[in-house]
Amino acid sequence: MKYAVFWGCLIPLKLPSVELATRKTFKRLGVDLVDLPGYSCCPDPVVARLMDQRMWLTLGARNLSLAEKLGLDLLAICSGCYETLWGTMETLEYEPEIRKDIDMVLSKSGRSYRGTAKVKHLVEALGEDFGVEKLSMFISRPLSGVRVALHPGCHLFRTAPERDIWQKPQLMEELVALTGVEIVKYGLERLCCGFPMMAADQKFALEERLLPKLQQISISGVDCIVFVCPACLGQFETGQKMLKGYSIPSLHLAELLALAVGIPGSELGLYFHRSPVAELVEKLGLNESG
Amino acid sequence: MPELEKLGLPEYFEKTKEGYLSCRVDLQLLKETVRTVIQKSMSRFIGIVALDYGLDIELLYNFSLNKNILTIKTMVPKEENKVESIVAIVPAAEWSEREICDLFGIKFLGHPNLESLILPAGWPQKEHPLRQPIRGSIPPHACSILEALFAFGTTIRPSSWIKQKREEAGLPGIPPLIYGDERALAEVQKLLRDIEFDRRAGYDWLQKRLRGGR
């Protein structure tokens, strides 16, 4: 198995621990990841798309064309990038007039978009392409006794009209369960983290979106929260500091899996986190090889 | 287009719909274009329309030509706020230019008498009732993100701290994105120009910032 990987902006520049965990875990699984040379901002699927759809599609199509050139499917580790790349692919497939326009724009720069590269979310690549059963054989250090809350994030529910919107969130849950942790339901899993509203109305984003989630998660008494979206993860880490009184370790699925397949926590650069993930890993004794 | 030739119009005019012909020209070429139209066709001046788009004011120079409406369009950036007068070529434009100067504050260079035409006596000189403050379409909170996209191809610029920390963690200091790849960055910037997103957003490539401030 081999993918071109789309790291996005947030992961390499704000949360390189997620990049490290993904690289190391995929290496252990024997899956090749090829960096996508010269990729740009995806661009983001909320603000950029609403601001100027033509710009959003043009840059999205260029990024897809880079993967096509490598002859590989494109793996998105960030849910926001996934939505942009997948949304671009969908739009260009079903809107011939728009496709014609974007083709014309790209051709001026010597590029073309053919629609041959599929876009895969991390949970699809691991849960479907690689397979949950096969992955279970690599779990050398089950994290039993660890209680986790899940935050799937809004983008994970985006899918083709004929597909089940719960398909990817359920895959996420299966992958998390595979690590041996106990998943604790807190009732507000689907509520937005508030990240897209932060710049427009910070008070609303923090107090009406993030805070109710943190309150419920705190009551449920979990050890940590697991994410697949770096923007949501960042919102929880920064938001907990801004709201004060909360300090729940927040980590990405790739990091949880890395720990469960036996990669030492000390090799994951967990100090990039703004929540006490490194402390939790230390407390659980996961800094050595498993 | 044979129709244009028949009317004595240059080939850069387009038929937008039946009875309507138009072209868009740079500000510097406006006067020459008007001169060409007047000299080579039987056009008659109708008037000038001004539209405030926030960052720029669009001027539509309308002429009548053999049952067609002919429009020459140009954009005046509000920071420049001036355009050459066409009165020397089209004397009938004198009042149109004065009216636009009153209402939108645009200066028509070379106008023989750019005095107030329709505002009441005693109206404050720097107030123009149809002119909006200079303002782009990008919401203030999105400006810095967009400026980074134009300048670096990403919405976040790698800091020296993150480069160092990435290397310490065993990762390449520069992540494998467009930052640092001059060729790829030039390509993305060209795409942004080709789709005229820079114009729509009001990005100033020299100043590396969006026009209109925050």
Side-chain angles (χ1 to χ4, degrees), chain A residues 50-255:
Chain A
L50 292 172
M51 198 187 289
D52 197 292
Q53 198 200 26
R54 196 172 182 220
M55 176 273 286
W56 182 73
L57 288 170
T58 301
L59 296 192
R62 178 187 173 273
N63 285 325
L64 287 167
S65 77
L66 297 174
E68 285 181 353
K69 208 169 175 185
L70 296 174
L72 296 170
D73 285 343
L74 190 53
L75 171 66
I77 313 298
C78 164
S79 297
C81 298
Y82 171 81
E83 182 168 341
T84 283
L85 297 167
W86 178 82
T88 301
M89 201 176 69
E90 283 279 297
T91 307
L92 298 182
E93 188 174 342
Y94 295 111
E95 302 279 352
E97 285 303 310
I98 295 178
R99 169 81 176 260
K100 208 170 140 187
D101 175 50
I102 301 298
D103 277 346
M104 183 269 294
V105 172
L106 290 181
S107 68
K108 285 185 188 169
S109 293
R111 288 212 174 271
S112 63
Y113 170 77
R114 288 168 288 136
T116 52
K118 289 193 178 68
V119 181
K120 303 278 177 144
H121 191 282
L122 176 72
V123 300
E124 292 175 308
L126 290 174
E128 289 182 337
D129 296 357
F130 192 80
V132 173
E133 204 181 315
K134 192 172 164 194
L135 184 58
S136 68
M137 291 188 278
F138 287 82
I139 305 295
S140 59
R141 183 164 58 184
L143 307 172
S144 36
V146 180
R147 289 163 54 81
V148 309
L150 302 186
H151 173 80
C154 306
H155 301 308
L156 202 63
F157 289 87
R158 303 286 186 266
T159 195
E162 68 275 11
R163 295 197 75 171
D164 179 6
I165 61 161
W166 282 96
Q167 174 242 349
K168 284 194 287 294
Q170 275 164 1
L171 274 176
M172 177 191 178
E173 199 168 323
E174 280 180 54
L175 291 167
V176 171
L178 204 63
T179 63
V181 300
E182 180 193 348
I183 297 172
V184 180
K185 301 282 183 188
Y186 58 95
L188 292 178
E189 279 82 356
R190 283 215 66 181
L191 186 67
C192 170
C193 67
F195 177 74
M197 306 150 211
M198 277 296 273
D201 190 341
Q202 187 172 292
K203 191 173 171 357
F204 177 84
L206 290 174
E207 293 178 10
E208 304 295 327
R209 286 295 174 267
L210 183 59
L211 186 57
K213 295 201 75 142
L214 285 172
Q215 286 168 335
Q216 287 304 111
I217 291 169
S218 281
I219 291 167
S220 67
V222 296
D223 296 298
C224 61
I225 315 169
V226 179
F227 302 80
V228 284
C229 173
C232 300
L233 204 171
Q235 171 75 349
F236 268 74
E237 293 202 312
T238 312
Q240 290 191 82
K241 288 196 180 297
M242 293 170 88
L243 286 165
K244 295 186 173 71
Y246 295 94
S247 190
I248 309 168
S250 306
L251 71 162
H252 195 276
L253 171 66
E255 296 170 308

Side-chain angles (χ1 to χ4, degrees), chain A residues 1-17:
Chain A
M1 281 174 71
K2 198 174 189 179
Y3 296 100
V5 60
F6 195 89
W7 297 108
C9 301
L10 276 175
I11 289 174
L13 298 176
K14 297 281 185 189
L15 278 169
S17 53

